[in-house]
Amino acid sequence: MLSGRRFKILENLRNKLVKHEKDFTTFEFRRVIDFQNDEGEIQKAVRVVANGNTKSGAITFIPMKSLSFEKFAFPFSNSTKIREALKLQVMPYSAAGNVEIFPVITSRNGRNSEGLVWYVAPEELNIPGSVLESNNKIWPAPLGFVSQLKDFNGNGITLWADEENLNSILWQNYNPVLSRWRKNSNSESLKHELEWYDGYCSSQNLERGGTFQVIFASKDESLRTNSEYLDFGDIINESVKLCPWISDVNLSRSALEGAMGLEKNLSFLTEAACWILAIGVIMLGAEIFSWQNTLTQTQNLRSRSERYYREVFDPQHTGRISNPVTLAREKISEAKGTGGTVHGLEEVLADFGDVFSDESLKNVTVDTVRYNSEGFDCTGSAQDMTTILNFRKAWESKAALAQLDNTQSVSGVGYRFDLRVRW
C-alpha cells in the first residue's frame, strides 16, 4: 500500500505527464494524392482533410508502396549507434536499391533498447514542399487508427483507401506486424484485399481481429467516403495513449536530414574532442618536462650555494644548510664590522645558563657553539622534537631570531639539530 504522501507525489507526476501530452485535436490533418499532369507525369498533391491549428502541428498521411518495418533490440540506446547498426544490417541488400531508415525506440531498459525500424524507398519521400514544415509529421496512412481495434485487443487491420491506393497495416496486440499496399483498381479491390488478409492470418495462425477502414474514395457506391465523419484528433489521441511510440514516428526527409545532421555533428565533435585531448596530452607532457627541468635547476642551484658557503665560510659545517645566502651575508657583515647590536660572550653564556635552568630542557646537549657579534650558531641533540622546539622557543624570548636548521633523526641519539640565533 502506498502512503498518502507517496500517492500524492505519484498523482502529481501523472498529472504533469498528462498535461505535457500532445493534444492532436488541435492539429491539422492532410493527405497526399497522386495526379497526372498535362504531360502525363504522375505527381503528388497535398489535400487538407481536417482543418486545425498549424502552429500546434500537422500530420500528413501518405500511402507508401515500399514501406516495411521490423523489430530491433540492441544492448545500447544511443540513437546514432542504433542507426549505424541498422545500416550494417541492410547493407547486404543495398544492391537491390537504396532505402531510408527511420528507427523508433519503443522501450528502454538500462542500456538496452527495443523498437521498430521503418524502411522506405527514397522516391517515396519526394512529396510537395508544404509538408516539409518543421512541425509537420509524415505518417504511413493507416498508422494512427489502431485505437479503433481496441474492442479486438489491438488485433486486426487498419486500412486506408483513396482514389488510387489501398494501404493497410496488420496489428497483433497493438504491435504492427505487416504493411501492405496495392492499387485500388476496381470496385472489388477492397473486398479482395480483406479476403487476402483472412487467408494470411489463417495460414500464419494470427488473430484476424477487426477491420477499421478510412475511405476517401471507392469504386463501390456503398463504400463512398467516410472520412468526413471521422474525428481524426480524438482517434489519434487514443491511439497514442495505447501506443506512445506512434507520436515519435516521422518518415519525412526533414527528419532524416536532421538525424544525419546530428550524426555529422557528433562525428565532428568526437573528432575535435580527440584532437583537443591529444593537444592537451602534449601540452601536459611539455609542462611536466618544464617543471622537472626547473626543479632540477633549483636543486642544482641550492647544492652549489651550500657548497660555496662551506668552502668560503664554514668548512666544518655538516648536514644541509637551509639558507646559505642569508648566512653568507651575515658572515660578510661580521667581517666588515657592520653587524647589529653587540652581544658579548658573557651575555650569551648567561643566556645559556638561564635557558638550561628550565628542567624540561635538561636533556638537551649542545655540542658546538659558533659565536659572532650578531649571534651564534649551535649544533646539539635531544631525545624528541618537542624538547628541541621548546629549546628554540626559549631563545625566541631572548633574541630577534631563533631558527632551527637541518633537524635529523639519528639512531641511538634521538634528533640532531642546528640552531641559529640572531640579536
Side-chain angles (χ1 to χ4, degrees), residues 273-291:
C274 291
W275 278 107
I276 291 173
L277 179 62
I279 294 172
V281 170
I282 293 172
M283 292 182 64
L284 177 62
E287 290 296 328
I288 291 175
F289 177 77
S290 177
W291 174 78

Side-chain angles (χ1 to χ4, degrees), residues 18-53:
V18 171
K19 181 180 179 180
H20 287 88
E21 286 180 354
K22 286 185 178 178
D23 181 10
F24 290 95
T25 58
T26 62
F27 275 46
E28 182 174 271
F29 296 94
R30 307 161 179 171
R31 69 185 182 107
V32 173
I33 63 172
D34 294 333
F35 71 96
Q36 192 171 19
N37 62 16
D38 296 337
E39 286 140 7
E41 297 175 343
I42 300 298
Q43 293 184 337
K44 297 180 183 292
V46 177
R47 297 287 184 269
V48 175
V49 298
N51 283 305
N53 183 359

Side-chain angles (χ1 to χ4, degrees), residues 17-158:
L17 291 175
V18 171
K19 181 180 179 180
H20 287 88
E21 286 180 354
K22 286 185 178 178
D23 181 10
F24 290 95
T25 58
T26 62
F27 275 46
E28 182 174 271
F29 296 94
R30 307 161 179 171
R31 69 185 182 107
V32 173
I33 63 172
D34 294 333
F35 71 96
Q36 192 171 19
N37 62 16
D38 296 337
E39 286 140 7
E41 297 175 343
I42 300 298
Q43 293 184 337
K44 297 180 183 292
V46 177
R47 297 287 184 269
V48 175
V49 298
N51 283 305
N53 183 359
T54 55
K55 291 184 178 180
S56 298
I59 294 177
T60 302
F61 302 108
I62 302 180
M64 295 182 173
K65 301 177 184 180
S66 63
L67 178 68
S68 64
F69 49 79
E70 66 177 351
K71 293 183 178 180
F72 67 79
F74 293 118
F76 44 81
S77 59
N78 181 276
S79 57
T80 301
K81 290 183 178 179
I82 290 174
R83 285 184 60 83
E84 291 298 326
L86 292 171
K87 284 181 181 178
L88 292 176
Q89 289 184 1
V90 300
M91 189 177 294
Y93 311 104
S94 59
N98 293 328
V99 64
E100 303 294 1
I101 299 173
F102 296 88
V104 176
I105 297 175
T106 58
S107 65
R108 285 185 172 90
N109 183 13
R111 295 184 177 180
N112 301 325
S113 63
E114 296 181 358
L116 285 169
V117 55
W118 306 75
Y119 301 109
V120 183
E123 55 269 19
E124 295 269 22
L125 304 180
N126 296 328
I127 49 184
S130 61
V131 297
L132 299 180
E133 303 158 357
S134 60
N135 61 346
N136 180 53
K137 291 180 179 289
I138 305 299
W139 282 4
L143 176 68
F145 306 98
V146 65
S147 59
Q148 302 307 294
L149 300 177
K150 62 183 177 181
D151 292 338
F152 303 93
N153 297 319
N155 299 313
I157 302 162
T158 54

